[in-house]
Coordinates of all heavy atoms in Angstrom, one line a residue:
I1 N 0.8 -1.2 0.0 CA 0.0 0.0 0.0 C 0.9 1.3 0.0 O 0.5 2.3 -0.6 CB -1.1 0.0 1.2 CG1 -2.0 -1.3 1.1 CG2 -1.8 1.2 1.2 CD1 -2.7 -1.5 2.4
L2 N 2.0 1.1 0.6 CA 3.0 2.3 0.5 C 3.4 2.7 -1.0 O 3.6 3.9 -1.2 CB 4.2 2.0 1.3 CG 4.2 2.2 2.8 CD1 5.4 1.7 3.6 CD2 3.9 3.6 3.3
S3 N 3.4 1.7 -1.8 CA 3.7 2.1 -3.1 C 2.6 2.9 -3.8 O 2.9 3.7 -4.7 CB 3.9 0.7 -3.9 OG 2.6 0.1 -4.0
I4 N 1.4 2.8 -3.3 CA 0.3 3.6 -3.7 C 0.5 5.0 -3.3 O 0.3 6.0 -4.0 CB -1.1 3.1 -3.3 CG1 -1.4 1.7 -3.8 CG2 -2.1 4.1 -3.6 CD1 -2.7 1.2 -3.3
G5 N 1.1 5.2 -2.1 CA 1.4 6.4 -1.6 C 2.5 7.1 -2.3 O 2.4 8.4 -2.5
F6 N 3.5 6.4 -2.7 CA 4.4 7.0 -3.5 C 3.9 7.5 -5.0 O 4.2 8.6 -5.4 CB 5.5 6.0 -3.9 CG 6.7 6.0 -2.9 CD1 7.1 4.9 -2.3 CD2 7.4 7.2 -2.6 CE1 8.1 4.9 -1.3 CE2 8.4 7.2 -1.5 CZ 8.8 6.0 -1.0
L7 N 2.9 6.8 -5.5 CA 2.3 7.2 -6.7 C 1.5 8.4 -6.5 O 1.5 9.4 -7.3 CB 1.4 6.0 -7.2 CG 0.9 6.2 -8.6 CD1 1.9 6.5 -9.7 CD2 0.0 5.1 -9.1
I8 N 0.8 8.5 -5.4 CA 0.0 9.7 -5.1 C 0.9 10.8 -4.8 O 0.7 12.0 -5.2 CB -0.9 9.4 -3.7 CG1 -1.9 8.4 -4.0 CG2 -1.6 10.8 -3.3 CD1 -2.7 7.9 -2.8
A9 N 1.9 10.6 -4.1 CA 3.0 11.7 -3.8 C 3.6 12.2 -5.1 O 4.0 13.4 -5.1 CB 4.0 11.2 -2.8
S10 N 3.8 11.4 -6.0 CA 4.4 11.7 -7.3 C 3.5 12.7 -8.1 O 3.9 13.4 -8.8 CB 4.7 10.5 -8.2 OG 5.5 9.6 -7.4
I11 N 2.1 12.5 -7.9 CA 1.2 13.3 -8.6 C 0.6 14.6 -8.1 O 0.6 15.6 -8.7 CB 0.1 12.4 -9.1 CG1 0.4 11.2 -9.9 CG2 -1.0 13.2 -9.8 CD1 -0.6 10.2 -10.0
V12 N 0.5 14.4 -6.8 CA -0.1 15.7 -6.0 C 1.0 16.6 -5.9 O 2.2 16.5 -5.5 CB -0.5 15.2 -4.5 CG1 -1.0 16.4 -3.8 CG2 -1.6 14.1 -4.6
P13 N 0.7 18.0 -6.3 CA 1.8 18.9 -6.5 C 2.2 19.6 -5.2 O 3.3 20.0 -5.0 CB 1.0 19.9 -7.4 CG -0.5 19.8 -7.1 CD -0.7 18.4 -6.9
T14 N 1.2 19.9 -4.2 CA 1.6 20.5 -2.9 C 1.1 19.7 -1.8 O 0.2 18.8 -1.7 CB 0.8 21.9 -3.0 OG1 -0.7 21.7 -3.0 CG2 1.2 22.7 -4.2
A15 N 1.7 20.1 -0.6 CA 1.5 19.4 0.7 C 0.0 19.7 1.1 O -0.5 18.9 1.8 CB 2.5 19.8 1.7
R16 N -0.4 20.8 0.7 CA -1.8 21.2 1.1 C -2.9 20.3 0.7 O -3.8 20.1 1.5 CB -2.0 22.6 0.4 CG -3.4 23.3 0.9 CD -3.4 24.7 0.4 NE -4.6 25.4 0.3 CZ -4.8 26.5 -0.2 NH1 -3.9 27.1 -0.8 NH2 -6.1 27.0 0.0
F17 N -2.7 19.7 -0.4 CA -3.7 18.7 -0.9 C -3.3 17.2 -0.8 O -4.1 16.4 -1.2 CB -4.0 19.0 -2.4 CG -4.6 20.4 -2.8 CD1 -3.6 21.3 -3.2 CD2 -5.9 20.7 -2.4 CE1 -4.2 22.6 -3.5 CE2 -6.3 21.9 -2.7 CZ -5.5 22.9 -3.2
A18 N -2.1 17.0 -0.2 CA -1.5 15.6 -0.3 C -2.5 14.8 0.5 O -2.9 13.6 0.2 CB -0.2 15.7 0.2
Q19 N -2.7 15.1 1.9 CA -3.5 14.1 2.7 C -4.9 14.1 2.4 O -5.5 13.0 2.4 CB -3.2 14.7 4.3 CG -3.7 13.6 5.2 CD -3.0 13.8 6.5 OE1 -2.6 15.0 6.8 NE2 -2.9 12.8 7.4
P20 N -5.6 15.1 2.0 CA -7.0 15.0 1.7 C -7.1 14.1 0.4 O -8.0 13.2 0.4 CB -7.5 16.5 1.3 CG -6.5 17.3 2.2 CD -5.2 16.6 2.1
V21 N -6.2 14.2 -0.6 CA -6.3 13.5 -1.8 C -6.0 12.0 -1.4 O -6.8 11.1 -1.9 CB -5.4 14.0 -2.8 CG1 -5.3 12.9 -4.0 CG2 -5.9 15.3 -3.4
G22 N -5.0 11.8 -0.6 CA -4.8 10.4 -0.2 C -6.0 9.8 0.6 O -6.2 8.5 0.4
A23 N -6.5 10.6 1.5 CA -7.7 10.0 2.3 C -8.9 9.7 1.4 O -9.6 8.6 1.6 CB -8.0 11.0 3.3
I24 N -9.1 10.7 0.4 CA -10.3 10.3 -0.6 C -10.0 9.0 -1.4 O -11.0 8.3 -1.7 CB -10.4 11.5 -1.5 CG1 -10.9 12.6 -0.6 CG2 -11.3 11.2 -2.6 CD1 -11.0 14.0 -1.4
I25 N -8.8 8.7 -1.7 CA -8.4 7.5 -2.5 C -8.4 6.3 -1.6 O -9.0 5.4 -2.0 CB -7.1 7.7 -3.2 CG1 -7.2 8.9 -4.2 CG2 -6.7 6.4 -3.8 CD1 -5.9 9.2 -5.0
L26 N -7.8 6.4 -0.4 CA -7.5 5.2 0.5 C -8.8 4.7 1.2 O -9.1 3.6 1.3 CB -6.3 5.4 1.2 CG -5.0 5.4 0.5 CD1 -3.9 5.9 1.4 CD2 -4.7 4.1 -0.1
Y27 N -9.4 5.7 2.0 CA -10.5 5.3 2.9 C -11.6 4.6 2.3 O -12.2 3.7 2.9 CB -10.8 6.4 3.8 CG -9.9 6.7 4.9 CD1 -9.2 8.0 5.0 CD2 -9.6 5.8 5.9 CE1 -8.3 8.2 6.2 CE2 -8.7 6.0 6.9 CZ -8.0 7.2 7.0 OH -7.2 7.4 8.0
P28 N -12.1 5.1 1.1 CA -13.3 4.4 0.5 C -12.8 3.0 0.1 O -13.7 2.1 0.0 CB -13.6 5.2 -0.7 CG -13.1 6.6 -0.4 CD -11.8 6.3 0.5
M29 N -11.6 2.7 -0.1 CA -11.1 1.3 -0.4 C -11.5 0.3 0.7 O -11.8 -0.8 0.5 CB -9.7 1.2 -0.6 CG -9.2 1.8 -1.8 SD -7.5 1.5 -2.1 CE -7.1 2.6 -3.6
I30 N -11.5 0.8 1.9 CA -11.9 -0.1 3.1 C -13.3 -0.7 3.0 O -13.6 -1.7 3.3 CB -11.6 0.7 4.4 CG1 -10.1 1.0 4.6 CG2 -12.1 -0.2 5.5 CD1 -9.8 1.8 5.7
A31 N -14.2 0.4 2.5 CA -15.7 0.0 2.4 C -15.8 -1.1 1.5 O -16.9 -1.9 1.7 CB -16.4 1.2 2.1
V32 N -15.1 -1.3 0.4 CA -15.3 -2.3 -0.6 C -14.2 -3.3 -0.7 O -14.0 -4.0 -1.7 CB -15.4 -1.6 -2.0 CG1 -16.5 -0.8 -2.2 CG2 -14.1 -0.8 -2.4
S33 N -13.5 -3.5 0.5 CA -12.4 -4.4 0.6 C -12.9 -5.8 1.0 O -12.1 -6.7 1.0 CB -11.4 -4.0 1.6 OG -12.0 -3.9 3.0
G34 N -14.1 -5.9 1.4 CA -14.7 -7.3 1.9 C -14.6 -7.4 3.4 O -14.9 -8.4 4.0
L35 N -14.2 -6.4 4.0 CA -14.1 -6.4 5.5 C -15.5 -6.4 6.1 O -15.8 -7.2 7.2 CB -13.3 -5.2 6.0 CG -13.1 -5.1 7.6 CD1 -12.4 -6.3 8.2 CD2 -12.3 -3.9 7.9
F36 N -16.4 -5.6 5.7 CA -17.6 -5.5 6.3 C -18.7 -6.3 5.5 O -19.6 -6.9 6.1 CB -18.2 -4.0 6.3 CG -17.2 -3.1 7.0 CD1 -16.3 -2.2 6.2 CD2 -17.1 -3.0 8.3 CE1 -15.5 -1.4 6.8 CE2 -16.3 -2.2 9.1 CZ -15.4 -1.3 8.3
V37 N -18.7 -6.3 4.2 CA -19.6 -7.1 3.4 C -18.7 -8.0 2.4 O -17.7 -7.4 1.8 CB -20.5 -6.2 2.6 CG1 -21.4 -7.0 1.6 CG2 -21.3 -5.2 3.4
P38 N -19.1 -9.2 2.3 CA -18.3 -10.1 1.3 C -18.3 -9.6 0.0 O -19.3 -9.1 -0.5 CB -19.0 -11.4 1.4 CG -19.8 -11.4 2.8 CD -20.1 -10.1 3.0
V39 N -17.1 -9.6 -0.6 CA -16.9 -9.1 -2.0 C -17.9 -9.8 -3.0 O -18.4 -9.3 -3.9 CB -15.5 -9.4 -2.5 CG1 -15.2 -8.8 -4.0 CG2 -14.6 -8.5 -1.6
E40 N -18.2 -11.1 -2.7 CA -19.0 -11.8 -3.6 C -20.4 -11.4 -3.7 O -21.1 -11.7 -4.6 CB -19.0 -13.4 -3.1 CG -17.6 -14.1 -3.3 CD -16.5 -13.7 -2.3 OE1 -16.9 -13.1 -1.3 OE2 -15.5 -13.9 -2.6
S41 N -20.8 -10.7 -2.6 CA -22.2 -10.1 -2.7 C -22.3 -8.8 -3.2 O -23.5 -8.3 -3.4 CB -22.7 -10.0 -1.2 OG -21.9 -9.1 -0.5
F42 N -21.3 -8.3 -3.8 CA -21.2 -6.9 -4.5 C -21.9 -7.0 -5.8 O -21.9 -8.0 -6.5 CB -19.9 -6.2 -4.6 CG -19.3 -5.9 -3.3 CD1 -17.9 -5.8 -3.1 CD2 -20.1 -5.5 -2.3 CE1 -17.4 -5.4 -2.1 CE2 -19.5 -5.1 -1.0 CZ -18.2 -4.9 -0.9
P43 N -22.6 -5.9 -6.4 CA -23.0 -5.9 -7.8 C -21.8 -6.2 -8.7 O -20.7 -5.9 -8.3 CB -23.5 -4.5 -7.9 CG -23.9 -4.0 -6.5 CD -22.8 -4.7 -5.5
P44 N -22.0 -6.6 -9.9 CA -20.8 -6.9 -10.8 C -19.8 -5.7 -10.9 O -18.6 -6.0 -11.0 CB -21.6 -7.2 -12.2 CG -23.0 -7.7 -11.8 CD -23.4 -6.9 -10.5
V45 N -20.3 -4.5 -11.1 CA -19.5 -3.4 -11.3 C -18.5 -3.2 -10.0 O -17.3 -3.1 -10.1 CB -20.1 -2.1 -11.7 CG1 -19.2 -1.0 -11.7 CG2 -20.8 -2.3 -13.0
L46 N -19.2 -3.2 -8.9 CA -18.4 -3.0 -7.7 C -17.5 -4.3 -7.4 O -16.4 -4.1 -6.8 CB -19.5 -2.8 -6.5 CG -18.9 -2.1 -5.2 CD1 -18.4 -0.6 -5.7 CD2 -20.0 -1.8 -4.2
H47 N -17.9 -5.5 -7.8 CA -17.1 -6.5 -7.5 C -15.9 -6.5 -8.4 O -14.8 -6.9 -8.0 CB -17.9 -7.7 -8.0 CG -17.2 -9.1 -7.7 ND1 -16.3 -9.7 -8.7 CD2 -17.2 -10.0 -6.7 CE1 -15.9 -10.8 -8.3 NE2 -16.3 -11.0 -7.0
A48 N -16.1 -6.0 -9.6 CA -14.8 -5.8 -10.5 C -13.9 -4.8 -10.0 O -12.7 -5.0 -10.0 CB -15.4 -5.4 -11.9

């Protein structure tokens, strides 16, 4: 996951937007990671 951080840091131009952009990208991933709801029960698009 740190490698994603490097990719985000490579694209985000300033420190002012770094953490908000990172949070917007990473935290929603937790919701669709299968932790709360099994991935198999997701709709086809969300499953993909």
